Each structure stands twice: as C-alpha cells, then as structure tokens.
Amino acid sequence: ALPIYVFHGVGFFKCEDFTFEGHYYLGMKNGPGILKNADYTYYGHFKNDKKSGIGCIERKGERYEGDFNEDLIDGIGTYTNQ
C-alpha cells in the first residue's frame, strides 16, 4: 500500500519555491504538467520528476520550445529572445 503522503494522479501542489499542476505517478511528476518558479515557467512533459519529452520553457523574454531529457534541453527545438 502507498503511504498517504505520496501524490498519485492529477493534482496541484504549491510550496514556497514552486507550483506544479499536472500528473503524478508514485509521488513523482510524470506526464504533462506546468511547473512555475521565480526563474521560469515550464509547460510540457515530465518523467520521474524531471523535464523529459516535448516542452516549452519561458524565462525573462526568452523561450525554448522543443525536446528535453533528464531536465536538460536535448534534441531539436526553437529558441526565441524577445
């Protein structure tokens, strides 16, 4: 049985450092979601709590839309600076 405090399913989490709205699987961000903190906003997919797959990150007039792997930009994408 899972402990009561493990997030599982679709939900919203807010703490001092960030907010996350999206899918959890066994306590980790997995699937589509939106992560916001003081530095950036990420819209996209997660795997095992890390940005992975197709996503978009926006930070102070900069925007990258494309592939992520293990929390890093990885693969094909488009960068714009406004």
Side-chain angles (χ1 to χ4, degrees):
L2 294 175
I4 293 172
Y5 60 87
V6 172
F7 296 112
H8 192 77
V10 178
F12 178 81
F13 178 79
K14 181 178 182 177
C15 67
E16 188 175 312
D17 297 328
F18 68 90
T19 62
F20 176 75
E21 184 173 3
H23 293 254
Y24 289 94
Y25 180 75
L26 299 178
M28 292 188 284
K29 296 181 279 297
N30 271 286
I34 302 169
L35 176 68
K36 295 181 181 181
N37 64 31
D39 295 325
Y40 63 84
T41 300
Y42 172 79
Y43 308 88
H45 283 83
F46 292 84
K47 182 177 180 183
N48 298 327
D49 245 8
K50 296 182 178 181
K51 295 180 274 304
S52 188
I54 301 295
C56 174
I57 192 165
E58 297 175 344
R59 170 186 10 224
K60 298 176 184 158
E62 298 176 315
R63 176 184 170 104
Y64 170 80
E65 188 170 353
D67 297 331
F68 289 82
N69 186 30
E70 295 284 319
D71 265 349
L72 300 173
I73 292 171
D74 182 51
I76 299 172
T78 304
Y79 171 81
T80 55
N81 188 353
Q82 301 168 348

